[in-house]
Amino acid sequence: SDTIRIPPAATTPTTPFRDDLLDFGFDYPEGWRAVSIERGTYRLLGPDADLAAEPVVTIKIVAKTDAQDTALKHLLNIHGRLVDELHAESTKLGPTKIAGEEAVFAIHSYVATDSRGKQGPFDHVQVVMEHGANIYLVSFVAPHDMFLKQIPLFKQILNSWRY
């Protein structure tokens, strides 16, 4: 599989988001919406998007269960599910830094059905961070052509992450 080349982060105007109870915040592109799915789970939707549309940024926060509950363990579980359920190929896996702290990420590619019922190639970036008593799971999923156009916005969101 070809390696996905990730362009630099976007520098578009943003809107701040903060969850004081879960102790995190970030900035998302102006015109987008932050939708609370349930406590600790949010979706970021582009200006013309609805819940079924792509691309989708999902943020999920879960409490650590014990000292062995790590970001890497969560990432490997997600990797296993994507490979088993969607026959995903991992194009990149490794460490990164988010808000100055260690994190892990993976990029996967797979064939899936989009919101219009059409099958095609999708790309999926999963970033997992640990902070305090929580694990923060942030994903970006989109059809391949849209992924390449929108990934700079996802990078901008990650670059603005704060605790």
Side-chain angles (χ1 to χ4, degrees), residues 25-163:
F26 55 86
D27 301 327
Y28 60 93
E30 272 185 12
W32 285 44
R33 291 179 295 139
V35 178
S36 177
I37 303 302
E38 62 186 21
R39 186 79 196 125
T41 303
Y42 302 94
R43 288 233 171 94
L44 299 179
L45 305 171
D48 301 320
D50 59 37
L51 287 177
E54 296 85 19
V56 174
V57 174
T58 304
I59 298 143
K60 183 174 179 110
I61 297 86
V62 296
K64 287 185 194 177
T65 55
D66 57 37
Q68 283 74 43
D69 195 12
T70 65
L72 182 58
K73 180 179 172 183
H74 280 265
L75 184 67
L76 293 175
N77 285 341
I78 292 165
H79 168 77
R81 282 197 313 272
L82 289 172
V83 169
D84 290 347
E85 296 170 17
L86 298 173
H87 309 291
E89 293 181 20
S90 179
T91 58
K92 196 164 187 179
L93 173 77
T96 189
K97 282 199 181 246
I98 304 293
E101 297 186 14
E102 297 297 323
V104 290
F105 79 97
I107 303 173
H108 290 86
S109 298
Y110 48 81
V111 174
T113 303
D114 69 16
S115 60
R116 295 168 300 283
K118 182 180 172 206
Q119 270 208 331
F122 275 70
D123 296 306
H124 179 147
V125 176
Q126 183 69 55
V127 179
V128 187
M129 306 160 279
E130 293 176 55
H131 182 76
N134 294 321
I135 302 280
Y136 298 78
L137 302 107
V138 184
S139 66
F140 171 63
V141 180
H144 181 71
D145 57 341
M146 192 177 294
F147 178 90
L148 295 174
K149 292 176 190 159
Q150 299 289 329
I151 193 69
L153 294 174
F154 181 64
K155 285 182 71 176
Q156 183 178 19
I157 292 165
L158 291 176
N159 288 349
S160 73
W161 197 271
R162 54 202 171 270
Y163 298 107

